[in-house]
Amino acid sequence: MTARNILQIEQSTVRKVTWRLLPFLFICFFISILDRVNISFAALQMNADLGFSNTVFGIGAGIFFFGYFLLEVPGSAMMAKVGARKWICRIMVSWGILAILMAFIEAPWQFYTIRFLLGVAEASFYPCMVHYLSGFYQTKHHARAIAAFMLAIPGANALGSPLSTFLLTIEGLGLSGWQWMFIIEAIPAVILGIICYFYLTDSIDKAHWLEQEEKKWLIETLDIEQKMKQEVKHYTFMEALKDKTVLWLSVGYFFWMMGYYGINMFLPTISKTISATSGISLQNLGWIIGALYFVSMIVMMLVGNHSDKTQERPWHVAGCLAVSALGLMLATYVADTNVWLAFIFLAVALCGAFGAFPPFWAIPPSFITGAAAGGAIALINSIGNLGGFFGPTIVGYLKELTNSFNTAIAFLGVSMFVSAAIIVLSARKKQKELA
């Protein structure tokens, strides 16, 4: 077979894998993020209706990540046994049902309980998806594939912001807008979970949508890559969980997620406070926030493409996080004097936070393979997402303490800087070991 034929097979295979997997996984992840963060828009009505303080809301928004933390690694181990197809199906159906129950909470303890169980239900969903994609893509395409898949994060916020603010205006059958929002946005999770069972394939050899020569090329190519990585060091599932680089990446991701979710969960509330003096309506506020996330989608793809082109990861991550931290701090500094400039700096902060995702998640598969890679990704994600509890909780507490978001946002900016330093130092050290 000539080099030209091999190149043609590679191009056709990558194209088929991309069109078969990424759009569907994008939609699934989109719904996941929407059901996770729509709580921030519910707060615009729910807190007043149920008498929740900023502290109660912060705890409830963040406790999701404790459930996520507890089941993340065990869930990934279970996924390795039963297969991604069945496990993703189970995750989506169970979280969809729980997300619907969010519409019927009345007391703080119910709020905390459902949010915790929602985290338990969704645990291992993200590492399962990343690990699944790594089983169909070469290493050189990882950041780009992850970027396309992870566009669902800013995408869910970009489209979900005006959608959620619109749903808040719906009332009927004795339910308020925030209750209808939870119900309507949760139903797709159950439907997609069932479809997933029939649509996804557990492995390349079962991918009926690939030609035989395409399957052969992809299996052989990924086998060669896996052997090359294992020649440097072969990781078992438990060894991957104890690897120093994996642990440091987990710590760095913790500080990153503390900053990211702190701003993400309170962004509608912060934006409403900033825009109060300019008389922006609730629906227009949704479109403005959506526009911020849309810009971050473009940046996310550009960073992922550039990271793949240069095959550099750590500095791409650190640079994006540093930009995010500066954006947060500058937004706080100008918020009292220039509303629109504050929105621009918030957009910069979001672009930095999202732009760091593709190169970051391309780091673990660069030195760990197979089920061990799934375990490493799960550990990083579980420890990191604990920051999703502390970020909103600390923001809520500091807002109550100081009656302003300024101190809270400054804290989030510092956490982003700490994350950038930890990730670049640990990943660069691992690169030197592998060189």
Side-chain angles (χ1 to χ4, degrees):
M1 186 178 294
T2 66
R4 183 176 180 178
N5 288 338
I6 294 175
L7 179 60
Q8 290 175 339
I9 293 174
E10 176 181 356
Q11 291 174 340
S12 66
T13 304
V14 172
R15 183 170 58 251
K16 286 183 180 180
V17 168
T18 297
W19 283 109
R20 175 74 184 189
L21 299 183
L22 287 183
F24 180 75
L25 295 182
F26 172 90
I27 294 172
C28 292
F29 199 39
F30 178 98
I31 297 300
S32 164
I33 298 302
L34 187 62
D35 286 342
R36 183 185 300 186
V37 303
N38 60 8
I39 186 71
S40 62
F41 290 95
L44 299 176
Q45 290 182 351
M46 181 184 71
N47 289 359
D49 287 355
L50 302 180
F52 289 173
S53 67
N54 281 313
T55 300
V56 169
F57 173 73
I59 294 173
I63 203 170
F64 167 95
F65 297 98
F66 266 112
Y68 201 97
F69 170 77
L70 292 175
L71 270 293
E72 183 81 333
V73 174
S76 295
M78 183 63 68
M79 178 271 294
K81 290 184 177 181
V82 304
R85 177 175 57 90
K86 295 178 182 178
W87 197 241
I88 293 174
C89 171
R90 193 284 305 164
I91 290 173
M92 297 193 71
V93 171
S94 59
W95 106 52
I97 293 171
L98 286 165
I100 291 173
L101 293 179
M102 276 293 299
F104 303 101
I105 62 170
E106 295 180 347
W109 72 267
Q110 294 172 330
F111 181 35
Y112 300 156
T113 301
I114 298 298
R115 286 289 293 178
F116 175 80
L117 292 177
L118 195 60
V120 169
E122 195 179 323
S124 76
F125 181 66
Y126 175 72
C128 181
M129 303 278 258
V130 173
H131 177 59
Y132 183 74
L133 281 176
S134 69
F136 283 86
Y137 279 99
Q138 295 169 271
T139 300
K140 67 180 182 180
H141 296 308
H142 277 175
R144 195 173 306 171
I146 292 171
F149 156 65
M150 293 190 69
L151 281 176
I153 302 178
N157 287 280
L159 297 178
S161 297
L163 173 62
S164 295
T165 50
F166 169 74
L167 293 176
L168 290 177
T169 65
I170 298 176
E171 290 188 3
L173 300 178
L175 300 177
S176 300
W178 63 271
Q179 293 174 298
W180 279 115
M181 183 196 69
F182 279 131
I183 294 170
I184 293 172
E185 293 182 349
I187 291 173
V190 179
I191 297 173
L192 285 169
I194 296 171
I195 293 174
C196 171
Y197 183 86
F198 300 98
Y199 185 81
L200 294 182
T201 51
D202 289 319
S203 58
I204 298 171
D205 60 297
K206 295 180 181 178
H208 57 84
W209 37 272
L210 287 176
E211 300 293 336
Q212 196 59 41
E213 62 179 6
E214 292 170 336
K215 292 182 187 180
K216 184 174 182 294
W217 173 84
L218 188 55
I219 291 172
E220 290 178 351
T221 300
L222 296 183
D223 282 346
I224 291 172
E225 281 196 348
Q226 182 170 330
K227 289 176 182 177
M228 290 176 64
K229 294 172 186 177
Q230 290 178 351
E231 285 178 1
V232 177
K233 179 174 175 59
H234 175 68
Y235 287 86
T236 64
F237 189 91
M238 292 305 299
E239 285 174 340
L241 300 183
K242 295 185 289 185
D243 182 82
K244 288 183 179 180
T245 303
V246 171
L247 295 175
W248 276 115
L249 289 175
S250 301
V251 175
Y253 197 54
F254 172 87
F255 282 99
W256 175 4
M257 289 298 99
M258 187 156 59
Y260 166 72
Y261 277 111
I263 187 68
N264 187 268
M265 292 296 184
F266 278 91
L267 182 58
T269 305
I270 293 170
S271 299
K272 189 176 181 180
T273 301
I274 292 174
S275 65
T277 56
S278 61
I280 298 173
S281 69
L282 181 64
Q283 188 62 57
N284 286 335
L285 178 64
W287 285 108
I288 291 171
I289 295 173
L292 301 187
Y293 283 104
F294 179 76
V295 173
S296 68
M297 290 175 69
I298 298 173
V299 172
M300 198 172 181
M301 281 302 299
L302 291 175
V303 173
N305 289 341
H306 191 265
S307 178
D308 269 352
K309 183 178 180 181
T310 60
Q311 288 297 294
E312 199 288 321
R313 314 300 188 189
W315 286 112
H316 279 76
V317 177
C320 286
L321 293 181
V323 167
S324 181
L326 288 173
L328 285 173
M329 292 179 173
L330 289 172
T332 303
Y333 182 75
V334 303
D336 295 330
T337 58
N338 193 318
V339 172
W340 294 108
L341 187 58
F343 275 124
I344 291 173
F345 283 131
L346 281 175
V348 171
L350 286 172
C351 286
F354 283 116
F357 278 116
F360 177 79
W361 286 114
I363 293 174
S366 69
F367 65 93
I368 303 178
T369 63
I377 292 169
L379 181 66
I380 294 169
N381 201 47
S382 63
I383 293 177
N385 273 293
L386 277 180
F389 169 77
F390 289 103
T393 301
I394 292 173
V395 168
Y397 172 76
L398 291 177
K399 173 62 169 64
E400 295 284 341
L401 187 67
T402 64
N403 200 33
S404 169
F405 280 111
N406 291 4
T407 302
I409 294 179
F411 167 78
L412 300 180
V414 171
S415 72
M416 289 287 200
F417 275 124
V418 172
S419 173
I422 292 174
I423 291 171
V424 76
L425 289 174
S426 57
R428 292 286 293 174
K429 183 178 179 181
K430 175 59 72 173
Q431 285 181 339
K432 290 180 181 179
E433 292 176 2
L434 298 176

